[in-house]
Amino acid sequence: MTGAPIDFYFDFSSPYGYVAAHRIEALGAELGREICWRPILLGVVFKTTGQTPLVSQPLRGPYHVNDLQRTARRLGIPFQLPEGFPLATMAAARAFHWLDGKSSAEAKKLALALLNACFADAVNITAAETVAGIGAKIGLDATEILAAIADPANKEKLRQVTDDAIAKGVFGSPYFIVDGEPFWGNDRIPDLRDWIVSGGW
Amino acid sequence: MTGAPIDFYFDFSSPYGYVAAHRIEALGAELGREICWRPILLGVVFKTTGQTPLVSQPLRGPYHVNDLQRTARRLGIPFQLPEGFPLATMAAARAFHWLDGKSSAEAKKLALALLNACFADAVNITAAETVAGIGAKIGLDATEILAAIADPANKEKLRQVTDDAIAKGVFGSPYFIVDGEPFWGNDRIPDLRDWIVSGGW
């Protein structure tokens, strides 16, 4: 790897985060940049920005449901919104940060499994038991995951990552920061690429 | 021209609308699609969506000021925010719709002159006199423009275009509709192009 990592902020309840999660590692591999996955709680961010979940908004909601469907079709990945969307994702994010402390590669595998369950299979991933069950399917220990989700240290870690994101200006998902430059949105991944390749403009 | 027109909704106070106004006619020429410029009042739209002006929002504001600067640099067009931004743009939009009833080519020239005054030269274009003065600089009759801005028929026309936009789902600026498919944002112009070229996906 050459160059600083690309920070990839997302919420497990973010459909554009799901889409980006399927694209960003290929970009990192192409450009020789590590991708640091940083799941956050967008609900906490929204208290700072006064935003509300996109899909619940008049006019903006229906537009984005259509846009997500066509974006997923174009990328060749399945997409549907889960039951009860938007979801509370503390359990998923805590499990991620716990595992990330041991292996970022394993944590990314868990993140993709959770996002795919949510947005390909329309599973509501809010419950700790659901997160543990999805972890078990990829070979993790469900009991360990449940303990990690309940562990105050992982709650605190998630709080810190979210606060740190807000301090860095993160207000949406996905949100990327590379070499100090922020890019918001799945649709800005080509710009992010061009920025790195060209060294900025 | 072949194919249906591309509807181009924007507010004269929208910096991304300004950027898009500098790009969209080239796309129309390339694809053989007429561009129908439809200035609206985004403040009225925001009453429906509950949004607030982007640049005033915590976290989102500073991000977008930076994004606008880098977007303009990349496209090679000047950019600065005018005094008093965001601006009330009834006068500009009424003048446009009045002139559009006589000549869409002339109306587009006026629109570009207004947008350039606002975002290249940082002129606050709210006042009818300012709009008339900018029109005079491109050869229009300032007195006629002032009369048009005060004419209830042009107020009504602007109200209709804005209401029609909301009915079609328009919630931001720039917002494009082609062949029934909506695209929001300057950054989606490449998607809009690909959609037309491919016939959709």
Side-chain angles (χ1 to χ4, degrees), chain A:
Chain A
M1 291 285 166
T2 61
I6 299 170
D7 287 328
F8 166 36
Y9 295 92
F10 66 99
D11 185 308
F12 278 105
S13 183
S14 161
Y16 287 110
Y18 156 75
V19 172
H22 278 272
R23 303 173 66 190
I24 195 65
E25 285 293 331
L27 185 72
E30 180 200 344
L31 301 180
R33 300 279 189 142
E34 187 191 344
I35 311 295
C36 282
W37 293 40
R38 297 191 184 280
I40 57 172
L41 295 183
L42 217 45
V44 176
V45 176
F46 285 173
K47 281 181 192 154
T48 299
T49 60
Q51 287 289 107
T52 53
L54 192 60
V55 174
S56 331
Q57 295 172 25
L59 303 187
R60 294 165 62 90
Y63 172 87
H64 283 98
V65 170
N66 176 62
D67 185 58
L68 281 160
Q69 287 164 342
R70 70 185 171 190
T71 299
R73 279 201 305 276
R74 194 175 194 191
L75 296 170
I77 58 175
F79 174 73
Q80 47 186 329
L81 287 176
E83 279 292 314
F85 179 86
L87 308 180
T89 57
M90 284 87 80
R94 285 180 204 157
F96 175 93
H97 287 297
W98 158 72
L99 193 55
D100 194 46
K102 308 206 288 179
S103 160
S104 68
E106 287 293 304
K108 290 177 188 182
K109 267 169 57 181
L110 175 61
L112 271 176
L114 289 165
L115 289 165
N116 286 340
C118 191
F119 294 110
D121 303 331
V123 173
N124 182 322
I125 61 164
T126 293
E129 292 70 21
T130 307
V131 171
I134 292 165
K137 280 192 195 161
I138 61 163
L140 300 168
D141 185 316
T143 312
E144 259 194 307
I145 294 177
L146 285 172
I149 291 169
D151 185 341
N154 294 317
K155 296 186 191 184
E156 181 54 29
K157 171 76 180 167
L158 175 57
R159 192 176 300 121
Q160 279 173 13
V161 172
T162 301
D163 288 350
D164 174 65
I166 294 170
K168 287 186 172 148
V170 174
F171 59 82
S173 166
Y175 194 103
F176 306 96
I177 301 179
V178 65
D179 302 335
E181 191 71 13
F183 293 88
W184 167 50
N186 168 67
D187 49 7
R188 290 304 187 91
I189 289 179
D191 282 1
L192 168 64
R193 183 187 178 284
D194 293 347
W195 186 271
I196 295 171
V197 169
S198 69
W201 56 80

Side-chain angles (χ1 to χ4, degrees), chain B residues 6-201:
Chain B
I6 299 169
D7 288 328
F8 165 36
Y9 294 93
F10 67 99
D11 185 307
F12 278 106
S13 183
S14 162
Y16 287 109
Y18 155 74
V19 172
H22 278 271
R23 304 173 65 189
I24 195 64
E25 285 294 331
L27 185 72
E30 180 200 343
L31 300 180
R33 300 279 189 141
E34 188 190 344
I35 311 295
C36 282
W37 293 39
R38 298 190 186 281
I40 58 173
L41 296 182
L42 216 46
V44 176
V45 175
F46 285 173
K47 282 184 192 152
T48 300
T49 59
Q51 287 290 107
T52 53
L54 192 58
V55 174
S56 331
Q57 294 172 26
L59 304 187
R60 294 164 63 89
Y63 173 87
H64 284 97
V65 169
N66 177 62
D67 185 58
L68 282 158
Q69 287 163 342
R70 71 184 171 190
T71 299
R73 279 201 307 274
R74 194 175 193 188
L75 296 170
I77 57 176
F79 174 73
Q80 48 186 330
L81 287 176
E83 279 292 312
F85 179 85
L87 308 179
T89 56
M90 285 87 81
R94 285 180 203 157
F96 176 93
H97 287 297
W98 158 72
L99 193 54
D100 194 46
K102 308 206 289 180
S103 160
S104 68
E106 287 293 303
K108 289 178 190 182
K109 265 168 58 181
L110 175 61
L112 271 176
L114 290 165
L115 288 166
N116 286 340
C118 191
F119 294 109
D121 304 330
V123 173
N124 182 322
I125 60 165
T126 294
E129 292 71 20
T130 307
V131 171
I134 291 164
K137 281 193 195 162
I138 60 163
L140 299 169
D141 184 316
T143 312
E144 259 195 305
I145 294 176
L146 285 172
I149 291 169
D151 185 341
N154 295 319
K155 297 186 189 185
E156 181 54 28
K157 171 73 181 168
L158 174 57
R159 192 176 299 120
Q160 278 173 14
V161 171
T162 300
D163 287 351
D164 174 65
I166 294 170
K168 287 185 171 148
V170 175
F171 59 81
S173 166
Y175 194 104
F176 306 96
I177 302 179
V178 64
D179 303 335
E181 191 71 15
F183 293 88
W184 167 50
N186 168 68
D187 50 6
R188 292 303 188 91
I189 290 178
D191 282 2
L192 167 65
R193 182 186 178 284
D194 293 348
W195 187 270
I196 295 171
V197 169
S198 69
W201 56 80

